[in-house]
Amino acid sequence: MKDQLTDALYGLGWSTVKKLPEPVAARLGQQIADTAWKRRGKSVLRLESNLARVVPDATPARLAELSRAGMRSYLRYWMESFRLPAWSEDRIRSGFDPQDVHHLENGLASGRGVILALPHLGNWDLAGAWVTTKLGVPFTTVAERLKPESLYDRFVAYREGLGMEVLPHTGGSAFGTLARRLRAGGLVCLVADRDLSASGVEVKFFGETARMPAGPAMLARQTGALLLPVTLWYDGTPVMRGRVHPEVEVPETGTRAEQAAAMTQQLADAFASGIAEHPEDWHMLQRLWLADLEPRADGAGPRSGAGPRPEPHSDDSSGTEKP
């Protein structure tokens, strides 16, 4: 029943919210966000706990202010995502204004293939729709197999409708498919700031140890593709902003594992720079740092205690996280 209710609620969002005028949808999102924030549930408290590491000198009042803004940003993501299928191409093109896109364009022109790696900042679905619409470039991503299956099918259909190729994260074949796309000069986009497989790379993130997926680095190392971090944010206008960061290069020395670890740390540093500038747009409502993760029942190390929202992620077989 819970799965059926979840599926029904998402279906209601896509069928109803997308029909609302944009100002009405924005106000509805803010109302839902403010209500959730006032209830001080586990997700809001976790968000504040995460933000306390990002802004260590913040007072309790400042953290509360940031978490309220964070919930509004999070609901903006959902309102936009529910409405994206109804947006015109012009609205999509004008809805995102990224800086330094030449890193992406030059990479694609080189024929090497490009991996865009993003944290949970802003609205990556909108950024992806902008890439397929404004740049006319299709890309491949990976999504978690959600329960119920009908909900997974909804997300796949939604993202495919925006021009994305979506691979299931289970089954172990995603890494090989991603590698083939990259060797053919294609584009791969992965959300990569939270590892759910317990097989990721440990990185220093805002002064503490977290685990992030190694998949983006491994794909770049094995295929010769460019690995470009991307950060996104809102600025109080209807337009989302973003930045394509310079390439994370493969180190000249070290083992494969050492090279992947060094590259993943560079990704973490790029993510941290964007999150520190716009902490309210970091939608991390789950445990991230190892100190916060619950011990695994099998003694194999910590595990996350809450599932992520449905989103494109890397594949466990590639060391990246799931959606």
Side-chain angles (χ1 to χ4, degrees), residues 262-277:
M263 295 170 73
T264 305
Q265 182 63 62
Q266 289 185 59
L267 274 183
D269 293 343
F271 293 165
S273 69
I275 293 166
E277 291 177 357

Side-chain angles (χ1 to χ4, degrees), residues 138-203:
F139 66 87
T140 304
T141 189
V142 178
E144 178 187 10
R145 277 202 173 278
L146 303 169
K147 293 182 180 180
E149 189 75 13
S150 56
L151 180 57
Y152 171 76
D153 292 340
R154 286 186 191 276
F155 274 94
V156 170
Y158 158 62
R159 291 191 168 111
E160 288 180 343
L162 298 176
M164 311 176 192
E165 178 188 22
V166 182
L167 307 176
H169 115 277
T170 54
S173 62
F175 187 89
T177 302
L178 295 174
R180 287 193 293 273
R181 300 291 184 269
L182 292 168
R183 290 191 178 103
L187 176 63
V188 165
C189 299
L190 301 169
V191 178
D193 61 342
R194 182 171 181 256
D195 179 75
L196 303 177
S197 66
S199 61
V201 174
E202 291 189 3
V203 297

Side-chain angles (χ1 to χ4, degrees), residues 72-82 122-126 155 158-159 234 283 309-312:
R72 287 187 169 191
S73 176
Y74 183 55
L75 264 293
R76 175 172 171 174
Y77 163 87
W78 279 113
M79 293 298 109
E80 287 181 345
S81 294
F82 287 142
N123 186 340
W124 45 89
D125 285 330
L126 172 55
F155 274 94
Y158 158 62
R159 291 191 168 111
Y234 296 121
H283 306 156
R309 76 186 184 198
E311 67 218 10

Side-chain angles (χ1 to χ4, degrees), residues 26-311:
R27 287 196 299 270
L28 176 61
Q30 284 198 0
Q31 291 170 0
I32 296 173
D34 289 348
T35 298
W37 178 79
K38 289 176 183 177
R39 289 179 177 173
R40 309 290 293 163
K42 290 183 179 179
S43 293
V44 173
L45 295 178
R46 176 55 54 190
L47 176 61
E48 285 190 8
S49 176
N50 290 338
L51 289 172
R53 287 180 165 97
V54 175
V55 191
D57 58 348
T59 64
R62 173 59 176 155
L63 282 177
E65 177 184 309
L66 280 174
S67 68
R68 183 180 185 182
M71 291 303 295
R72 287 187 169 191
S73 176
Y74 183 55
L75 264 293
R76 175 172 171 174
Y77 163 87
W78 279 113
M79 293 298 109
E80 287 181 345
S81 294
F82 287 142
R83 288 180 47 77
L84 263 176
W87 280 16
S88 68
E89 291 189 356
D90 286 343
R91 178 66 181 90
I92 292 173
R93 292 189 189 101
S94 63
F96 182 39
D97 183 24
Q99 303 170 11
D100 300 327
V101 182
H102 65 276
H103 293 304
L104 170 58
E105 293 174 323
N106 292 345
L108 292 171
S110 73
R112 287 176 55 188
V114 176
I115 305 159
L116 297 181
L118 305 87
H120 288 74
L121 271 173
N123 186 340
W124 45 89
D125 285 330
L126 172 55
W130 184 89
V131 168
T132 60
T133 303
K134 175 75 172 183
L135 301 184
V137 178
F139 66 87
T140 304
T141 189
V142 178
E144 178 187 10
R145 277 202 173 278
L146 303 169
K147 293 182 180 180
E149 189 75 13
S150 56
L151 180 57
Y152 171 76
D153 292 340
R154 286 186 191 276
F155 274 94
V156 170
Y158 158 62
R159 291 191 168 111
E160 288 180 343
L162 298 176
M164 311 176 192
E165 178 188 22
V166 182
L167 307 176
H169 115 277
T170 54
S173 62
F175 187 89
T177 302
L178 295 174
R180 287 193 293 273
R181 300 291 184 269
L182 292 168
R183 290 191 178 103
L187 176 63
V188 165
C189 299
L190 301 169
V191 178
D193 61 342
R194 182 171 181 256
D195 179 75
L196 303 177
S197 66
S199 61
V201 174
E202 291 189 3
V203 297
K204 284 298 180 182
F205 196 55
F206 291 102
E208 293 191 42
T209 303
R211 187 181 291 115
M212 294 188 181
M218 293 172 63
L219 281 167
R221 182 189 177 280
Q222 292 190 26
T223 67
L226 278 77
L227 175 56
L228 303 177
V230 177
T231 52
L232 310 170
W233 66 91
Y234 296 121
D235 65 354
T237 72
V239 179
M240 184 176 70
R241 312 295 173 178
R243 180 190 174 198
V244 182
H245 296 251
E247 177 187 2
V248 173
E249 298 183 354
V250 180
E252 295 182 358
T253 60
T255 65
R256 179 175 65 175
E258 289 169 343
Q259 290 175 329
M263 295 170 73
T264 305
Q265 182 63 62
Q266 289 185 59
L267 274 183
D269 293 343
F271 293 165
S273 69
I275 293 166
E277 291 177 357
H278 307 280
E280 68 278 7
D281 292 320
W282 189 40
H283 306 156
M284 186 56 67
L285 281 67
Q286 301 86 21
R287 296 179 177 93
L288 175 69
W289 283 272
L290 297 193
D292 294 337
L293 300 185
E294 298 174 359
R296 292 169 59 98
D298 58 7
R303 64 175 175 84
S304 64
R309 76 186 184 198
E311 67 218 10

